[in-house]
Amino acid sequence: MTISTWTLDKAHSEIEFSIRHMMISRVKGAFRDFDAKIEADPADLSTANIQFTIDIASIDTGNEDRDNHLRSADFFEVEKYPTLTFASTNIEKQGDDYAVTGEVSMHGVTKTETFIVTSGGVVKDPMSGAQKAGFSVEGKVKRSDYGLTWNAPLETGGVLVSDEVKITMEIQASKAE
């Protein structure tokens, strides 16, 4: 294959996160509104150009009160900082996976982060006839690196919300004609 433009298939893609709560369990959530620009050869991602934009207001943890708190000035401050973006700067093959490094911009701060991407391959969609590519993504960020420092101490030690946030994505994209 050669480098082509790929369009995000939102119906078959998801961006999720999890964070330790009260140091004893994990709370999971997702962003429901996001888009991507992908220029890649799915057989060799090392030359890809990958850009993501996430609408922070679309955060969904299954609890409306918690979601509203996360949208507030205590956390994401979505009225001032409505989006989270990622733009790849370097991609290195590591065995069957790729280390995708790029600039993450969130809450007015830009930091370099690396995510591990596994290609699920390319197939022809029997319904549409379009070429489809799939990718699984895993990574971690420290929310304090982006100025997201709200917390509450626990009487038993530790804090209410951990600093480390685990991120997972399942991405399916269609080759643009």
Side-chain angles (χ1 to χ4, degrees), residues 16 87 114 149:
E16 298 180 324
T114 299
T149 58

Side-chain angles (χ1 to χ4, degrees), residues 50-175:
I50 303 167
Q51 298 178 28
F52 270 86
T53 301
I54 298 170
D55 177 358
I56 298 291
S58 73
I59 197 165
D60 180 2
T61 65
N63 180 293
E64 187 176 347
D65 289 338
R66 178 173 47 224
D67 295 346
N68 288 332
H69 188 207
L70 290 169
R71 291 180 190 110
S72 78
D74 281 347
F75 286 95
F76 287 111
E77 204 171 355
V78 296
E79 289 189 19
K80 187 173 181 180
Y81 307 107
T83 58
L84 181 158
T85 61
F86 172 84
S88 64
T89 57
N90 187 54
I91 301 174
E92 295 180 8
K93 187 150 178 61
Q94 296 183 341
D96 291 337
D97 299 329
Y98 294 86
V100 178
T101 301
E103 299 298 313
V104 172
S105 295
M106 169 174 48
H107 201 250
V109 177
T110 300
K111 296 280 186 186
T112 301
E113 303 285 359
T114 299
F115 299 91
I116 301 303
V117 177
T118 304
S119 175
V122 178
V123 299
K124 182 177 179 179
D125 185 331
M127 304 302 284
S128 69
Q131 291 292 311
K132 300 277 185 141
F135 307 95
S136 296
V137 181
E138 293 185 358
K140 299 175 189 175
V141 297
K142 289 177 66 174
R143 62 189 187 89
S144 62
D145 286 347
Y146 297 91
L148 301 172
T149 58
W150 182 92
N151 226 326
L154 300 174
E155 66 182 39
T156 56
V159 290
L160 187 64
V161 183
S162 67
D163 193 26
E164 181 182 272
V165 181
K166 291 185 178 184
I167 299 168
T168 58
M169 295 186 245
E170 291 298 327
I171 303 300
Q172 190 174 115
S174 299
K175 185 176 180 181

